Amino acid sequence: MSRRVKLTVAYDGTDYCGWQIQPNGITVEEVLNKKISKLTGEDIRIIGASRTDSGVHALGNVAVFDTESSIPPERMAYALNQKLPDDIVIRQSCQVPDDWHPRYQDHVVKTYEYHICNAPVPNPLKRRYSTHVSFPMDVEAMKKGAAYLIGEHDFVSFCNIKTNVEDTVRTVYALDIMQEGEDITLRITGNGFLYNMVRIIAGTLIRVGRGFYEPERVKEILDEKVRTAAGVTAPPNGLVLVEIGYNDSENGGYSEEERR
C-alpha cells in the first residue's frame, strides 16, 4: 500500500548546487532521491516545497515522496539520517494525505533569515553562514527602510529579471532586523517569495545601513517597479530557509511561526 511521507529537511547548502537536480553539480534533491531509493528499494523522486539556490541553507525545507516501504513514516527520519551525509538532516517525518503537495496548499507561510557579520575583518568561523560587511552599518536606518516592505506589494523591483512568473505581488507579514554584537539578522516572513527576492531585499537594506540609500529610498524602489532600482543581490551564504508553515489538517493548523 502506497503512502505519502512528508519530510522536514535541514541542510548546509555550501557544497551543493542548490536544491533542484541539474547537470552541473550535486544537489540536495539528488542526494535525497538516491538515499531514499536505496533505503526503500524503490525508484523515488521527491517533490520539494522550495528550490533553494546554490549555497543557500535550510532548517525547514519540506519535501514529500510516495512509498510502499514498511518503514513507519514517523521512523523514516531516523532511518534516512543513518545514510545521509552530515550536511543534510531529516528533522521530522510523518504521513500526509496522498494528494498533499508541499507547494500547493491554501495557506503557506515561509520564513527566511539573512545573516550579516558586520566587523572590520572577516570571521573565518562565520564565512559559510553569513555575509561579511566591513563598514559600519546603521541598523536603525535599516529598520526604517524595512518597514516600507511590510504588507502586500508588487515586488517586481526585488526579483531577478529571469523570474518566470506573471504575478509579482506578494505579502510580507513581518520583517525584523536584530543585532547582537557584530551579528545582524534580517528575518522575513511572507506568503511567498520571488526568485532572489530575499537576497535583493538584503542587498538593498545593506545599502541603507551603509548610508548609500536613505530609508525612504526603499519605498521609491517599490514604486519604480524595475529591478535596476534596487540594490545588488546579496551573496547566497547568508540566507537560510528557516521554516515553511501550513494551515491544514495534516499538521493540526498553523505552525508556531504563523501563530506569532
Side-chain angles (χ1 to χ4, degrees), residues 130-241:
S130 64
T131 292
H132 176 245
V133 177
S134 60
F135 298 96
M137 296 176 65
D138 185 341
V139 173
E140 292 305 312
M142 294 172 70
K143 291 179 180 179
K144 291 178 181 177
Y148 291 108
L149 300 174
I150 297 172
E152 183 179 84
H153 302 286
D154 184 345
F155 283 96
V156 67
S157 294
F158 293 91
C159 70
N160 190 294
I161 58 174
K162 296 180 181 179
T163 300
N164 188 26
V165 295
E166 294 182 4
D167 184 10
T168 51
V169 174
R170 297 291 185 274
T171 300
V172 171
Y173 302 125
L175 176 46
D176 300 314
I177 302 177
M178 300 155 283
Q179 183 174 24
E180 185 174 346
E182 65 184 18
D183 298 321
I184 299 173
T185 301
L186 284 64
R187 185 179 177 94
I188 183 168
T189 299
N191 66 350
F193 297 94
L194 302 165
Y195 183 37
N196 284 165
M197 178 174 158
V198 178
R199 288 167 58 191
I200 295 170
I201 287 175
T204 301
L205 292 177
I206 287 172
R207 292 189 69 81
V208 172
R210 291 189 58 190
F212 293 116
Y213 294 160
E214 293 296 323
E216 295 76 18
R217 176 61 185 152
V218 177
K219 183 180 185 304
E220 295 172 358
I221 292 169
L222 270 175
D223 294 339
E224 288 179 29
K225 294 182 172 58
V226 59
R227 169 66 186 95
T228 53
V232 300
T233 305
N237 57 305
L239 186 61
V240 180
L241 172 57

Side-chain angles (χ1 to χ4, degrees), residues 2-175:
S2 179
R3 294 177 291 185
R4 177 157 289 194
V5 178
K6 173 188 171 187
L7 305 176
T8 301
V9 190
Y11 47 88
D12 177 343
T14 305
D15 299 325
Y16 295 96
C17 295
W19 172 273
Q20 190 173 18
I21 290 177
Q22 51 186 289
N24 64 337
I26 191 72
T27 67
V28 177
E29 182 181 33
E30 180 181 352
V31 172
L32 287 171
N33 283 342
K34 288 180 177 178
K35 297 302 182 181
I36 299 172
S37 295
K38 185 174 182 180
L39 177 67
T40 65
E42 303 163 301
D43 184 16
I44 298 295
R45 295 291 180 268
I46 63 172
I47 302 170
S50 187
R51 301 179 182 126
T52 53
D53 290 337
S54 177
V56 173
H57 316 294
L59 287 173
N61 206 345
V62 173
V64 297
F65 67 95
D66 296 322
T67 179
E68 295 185 0
S69 170
S70 61
I71 300 173
E74 65 276 8
R75 294 288 294 170
M76 192 66 71
Y78 176 81
L80 278 172
N81 285 335
Q82 309 308 306
K83 298 183 176 297
L84 288 168
D86 292 341
D87 52 7
I88 301 177
V89 173
I90 308 302
R91 299 183 67 187
Q92 185 181 47
S93 60
C94 63
Q95 185 172 350
V96 292
D98 292 345
D99 61 351
W100 195 90
H101 195 290
R103 293 198 297 273
Y104 306 123
Q105 296 297 315
D106 290 339
H107 191 79
V108 180
V109 173
K110 294 184 179 183
T111 297
Y112 283 88
E113 287 184 353
Y114 196 87
H115 297 269
I116 301 164
C117 179
N118 186 210
V121 296
N123 184 334
L125 302 183
K126 297 178 180 179
R127 65 183 177 83
R128 292 169 71 98
Y129 311 111
S130 64
T131 292
H132 176 245
V133 177
S134 60
F135 298 96
M137 296 176 65
D138 185 341
V139 173
E140 292 305 312
M142 294 172 70
K143 291 179 180 179
K144 291 178 181 177
Y148 291 108
L149 300 174
I150 297 172
E152 183 179 84
H153 302 286
D154 184 345
F155 283 96
V156 67
S157 294
F158 293 91
C159 70
N160 190 294
I161 58 174
K162 296 180 181 179
T163 300
N164 188 26
V165 295
E166 294 182 4
D167 184 10
T168 51
V169 174
R170 297 291 185 274
T171 300
V172 171
Y173 302 125
L175 176 46

